[in-house]
């Protein structure tokens, strides 16, 4: 390659950036929500809380047949209309990067006959979702959700659980002031009546609404209530709400759900005009809102979807679920300075003096690691003083120094990095010495 060619290639490489609406998570970053340790801490807290409630993890593919989302989420939703990453593979199958987790979980539930398992089946998932939205702070094209589904029960206790679990997860991230907006959309008996009343009321109003709302009115009038435009919202007080049409069973279901939430003093309020972006919800719907996040303040949401399993070809199966936006939780926690974080640090930094000790240092580090002790060492040919500085910077608990003298005597000089105390330990016993102090898993065989 000519010099100019190489320079051109370098310039091209420089210009490569991640796709719009995506971001990298790094071990270190000024913003906590872009640090991998914060993600790990949130995931660990989420898993722990979900395990306590009896949920087990399900991992579904990142892509699915497009038809699953068309049938599952609803043709008239924004997600299916304009936000899906859909493509044809080389075998000419239409595939879509998953925009949400519920439809894939229901697909797996049916495909693997989980309806034959003891009910209810409690599952959770965690991972990236893809939506072609207009990116802004808190809105990404690759977003990350932690969600759970409880399939096979119509008990209001399940609805209450689904509100309480995400609240607990948010609290573990330091979001103490998350509030829940709660509503019921009614069931197959009362919802169509409400829908019709809404359509009628909207008929007089539709010309005053935004273009998107006029389209929603045509396709699915319920979605109009989800519009965030102030120009549209100021008319909404004239529209009927689902609560005007709830049947007795829906009324009782909501009351029973609320009774559990009241007992546990969950911070919720009823919001008569809350609807959600996906079509499959019936009865309970809710949203978790974090203060101080600006326009994108919803950190999670969910609800009951009693018709979805049947809609996707299964037996009638009541179900309820939630999804938390992990990106937004960490952003909110970052603003509060409360983002939890896991920062792995070496337990032992193996330092050496001189080329002969180098080989022993490498072997000692490898043996310590094989024995379950987190060990680090220098890879840049630094002198002892700079190695010890590096050990400090990385937060090592101990330094194990191998110099000429130690090499000759078959020892290692172990320095406690907190107290500065030093001790000479025989080299063949050093792994056991650390194992005893650090609670290592298994012997190092050194
Ligand atoms: P949904 O699946 O639409 O019910 O969304 C559940 C949660 O995912 C929302 O409350 C947000 O916290 C989060 N979320 C949805 N869309 C995005 C997005 N484009 N970027 C970041 N987070 C999102």
């Amino acid at each position: 390659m000519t010099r100019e060619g190489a320079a051109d290639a370098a310039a091209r490489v420089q210009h490569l950036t991640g796709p719009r609406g995506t971001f990298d998570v790094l071990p270190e970053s000024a913003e906590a929500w872009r640090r991998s340790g914060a993600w790990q801490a949130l995931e660990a807290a989420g898993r722990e809380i979900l395990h306590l409630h009896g949920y087990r993890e399900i991992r579904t593919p990142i892509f699915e047949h497009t038809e699953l989302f068309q049938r599952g989420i609803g043709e008239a939703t924004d997600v299916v209309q304009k936000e899906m990453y859909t493509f044809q593979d080389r075998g000419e199958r239409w595939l879509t990067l998953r925009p949400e987790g519920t439809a894939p979980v229901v697909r797996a539930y049916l495909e693997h006959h989980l309806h034959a398992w003891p009910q209810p089946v409690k599952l959770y998932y965690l991972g990236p979702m893809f939506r072609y939205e207009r990116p802004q702070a808190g809105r990404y094209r690759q977003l990350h959700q932690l969600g759970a589904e409880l399939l096979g029960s119509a008990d209001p206790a399940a609805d209450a659980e689904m509100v309480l679990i995400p609240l607990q997860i948010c609290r573990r991230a330091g979001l103490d002031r998350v509030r829940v907006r709660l509503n019921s959309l009614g069931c197959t008996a009362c919802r169509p009546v409400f829908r019709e009343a809404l359509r009628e009321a909207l008929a007089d109003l539709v010309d005053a609404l935004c273009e998107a709302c006029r389209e929603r009115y045509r396709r699915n009038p319920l979605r109009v209530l989800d519009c965030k435009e102030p120009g549209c919202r100021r008319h909404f007080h004239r529209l009927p709400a689902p609560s005007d049409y709830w049947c007795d069973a829906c009324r009782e279901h909501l009351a029973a759900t609320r009774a559990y939430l009241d007992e546990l003093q969950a911070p919720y309020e009823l919001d008569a005009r809350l609807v959600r972006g996906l079509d499959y919800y019936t009865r309970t719907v809710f949203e978790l809102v974090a203060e101080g996040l600006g326009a994108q303040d919803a950190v999670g949401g969910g609800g009951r979807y009693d018709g979805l399993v049947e809609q996707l070809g299964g037996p009638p199966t009541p179900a309820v679920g939630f999804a938390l936006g992990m990106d937004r939780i960490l952003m909110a926690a970052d603003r509060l300075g409360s983002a939890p974080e896991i920062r792995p640090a070496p337990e032992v930094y193996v330092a050496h003096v001189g080329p002969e000790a180098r080989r022993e240092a490498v072997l000692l580090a490898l043996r310590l690691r094989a024995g379950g002790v987190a060990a680090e060492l220098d890879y840049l040919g630094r002198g002892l003083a700079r190695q010890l500085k590096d050990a400090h910077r990385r937060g090592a608990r101990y330094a194990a120094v191998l110099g000429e003298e130690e090499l000759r005597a078959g020892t290692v000089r172990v320095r406690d990095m907190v107290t500065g105390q030093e001790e000479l330990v025989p080299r063949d016993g050093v792994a056991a010495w650390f194992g005893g102090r650090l609670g290592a898993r298994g012997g190092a065989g050194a």
Side-chain angles (χ1 to χ4, degrees), residues 283-428:
R283 290 200 167 156
T284 312
V285 285
F286 57 89
E287 217 159 67
L288 283 86
V289 180
E291 285 174 15
L293 258 197
Q296 309 300 322
D297 60 354
V299 291
R304 182 163 275 290
Y305 51 93
D306 289 345
L308 182 61
V309 178
E310 214 175 342
Q311 202 175 305
L312 292 177
T317 309
V320 58
F322 75 79
L324 281 170
M326 298 173 74
D327 323 73
R328 292 204 193 153
I329 293 182
L330 289 176
M331 280 179 95
D334 201 2
R335 288 199 193 157
L336 293 172
S338 67
E341 195 165 345
I342 293 171
R343 275 179 190 253
E347 293 161 313
V348 180
Y349 192 100
V350 183
H352 69 281
V353 188
E356 269 173 56
R358 168 71 186 163
R359 182 175 173 278
E360 289 306 317
V362 171
L363 291 175
L364 178 57
L366 289 171
R367 289 189 176 120
L368 286 172
R369 293 163 179 165
V373 174
E376 196 46 276
L377 79 165
D378 168 61
Y379 295 92
L380 300 176
R382 282 179 276 219
L384 181 62
R386 289 181 57 212
Q387 289 178 51
L388 291 177
K389 216 168 148 185
D390 193 31
H392 248 305
R393 189 176 63 85
R394 292 175 189 273
R397 179 73 185 79
Y398 293 99
V401 184
L402 283 157
E404 277 169 32
E405 212 174 289
E406 288 82 12
L407 212 58
R408 232 177 295 117
T411 57
V412 176
R413 184 179 300 277
V414 177
R415 175 192 289 200
D416 185 317
M417 297 295 282
V418 178
T419 64
Q421 273 182 341
E422 293 194 343
E423 189 174 327
L424 275 175
V425 180
R427 200 145 78 237
D428 54 10

Side-chain angles (χ1 to χ4, degrees), residues 31-349:
E31 301 155 302
W33 72 275
R34 288 182 195 260
R35 292 203 287 262
S36 48
W39 286 79
Q40 287 158 10
L42 179 60
E43 287 169 13
R47 285 179 195 279
E48 185 194 318
I49 290 166
L50 283 155
H51 291 166
L52 279 174
H53 287 81
Y55 290 76
R56 289 162 68 195
E57 187 178 6
I58 179 167
R59 298 191 187 193
T60 62
I62 296 287
F63 58 87
E64 296 273 356
H65 291 295
T66 302
E67 191 190 343
L68 172 68
F69 300 114
Q70 289 170 333
R71 278 171 52 189
I73 300 177
E75 287 280 7
T77 57
D78 284 357
V79 171
V80 171
Q81 282 283 308
K82 48 189 191 197
E83 294 174 4
M84 297 205 303
Y85 280 92
T86 296
F87 57 96
Q88 235 177 347
D89 73 2
R90 285 166 194 268
E92 302 195 342
R93 299 170 196 89
W94 283 105
L95 300 171
T96 295
L97 299 183
R98 62 180 187 192
E100 57 96 56
T102 302
V105 168
V106 172
R107 196 260 313 137
Y109 178 87
L110 291 174
E111 186 170 340
H112 305 290
H113 307 290
L114 271 51
H115 44 88
W117 290 10
Q119 304 290 302
V121 174
K122 292 175 153 192
L123 301 167
Y124 75 88
Y125 59 84
L126 183 166
M129 308 291 160
F130 305 86
R131 296 183 190 177
Y132 189 78
E133 292 195 81
R134 198 167 50 75
Q136 63 183 76
R139 192 158 72 194
Y140 301 99
R141 290 182 171 169
Q142 175 171 329
L143 56 134
H144 300 82
Q145 289 187 338
L146 168 64
E149 316 291 347
L150 187 153
L151 297 122
S153 170
D155 192 319
D159 303 56
E161 188 169 307
M162 280 301 164
V163 174
L164 293 166
I165 294 172
L167 268 175
Q168 274 186 38
I169 295 173
C170 286
R171 286 201 189 114
R172 282 283 284 276
L175 305 184
D176 295 327
R177 298 206 311 198
V178 168
R179 297 200 61 82
V180 179
R181 296 161 62 202
L182 180 73
N183 195 14
S184 171
L185 294 181
C187 62
T188 46
C190 57
R191 183 159 149 175
V193 189
F194 160 63
R195 208 181 133 107
E196 212 28 59
L198 183 65
R199 189 194 294 279
E200 274 172 29
L202 278 170
D204 297 335
L205 208 64
V206 68
D207 291 338
L209 302 180
C210 71
E211 197 184 317
C213 276
R214 292 202 292 273
E215 179 66 17
R216 290 179 189 125
Y217 168 70
R218 253 185 357 94
R219 289 177 176 276
N220 182 356
L222 221 70
R223 314 260 341 105
V224 170
L225 295 179
D226 209 19
C227 184
K228 303 282 184 286
E229 291 291 327
C232 296
R233 295 201 74 84
R234 73 193 157 90
H235 297 292
F236 288 177
H237 66 276
R238 291 159 57 189
L239 297 174
S243 51
D244 304 332
Y245 294 87
W246 288 334
C247 63
D248 287 346
C250 284
R251 212 173 277 284
E252 279 161 28
H253 189 90
L254 181 65
T257 303
R258 291 184 62 188
Y260 291 120
L261 299 179
D262 289 337
E263 284 287 347
L264 289 164
Q265 294 170 352
Y268 77 92
E269 61 235 17
L270 286 184
D271 180 341
R273 290 200 168 72
L274 175 70
V275 292
R276 305 237 334 117
L278 316 175
D279 256 1
Y280 48 62
Y281 290 112
T282 51
R283 290 200 167 156
T284 312
V285 285
F286 57 89
E287 217 159 67
L288 283 86
V289 180
E291 285 174 15
L293 258 197
Q296 309 300 322
D297 60 354
V299 291
R304 182 163 275 290
Y305 51 93
D306 289 345
L308 182 61
V309 178
E310 214 175 342
Q311 202 175 305
L312 292 177
T317 309
V320 58
F322 75 79
L324 281 170
M326 298 173 74
D327 323 73
R328 292 204 193 153
I329 293 182
L330 289 176
M331 280 179 95
D334 201 2
R335 288 199 193 157
L336 293 172
S338 67
E341 195 165 345
I342 293 171
R343 275 179 190 253
E347 293 161 313
V348 180
Y349 192 100

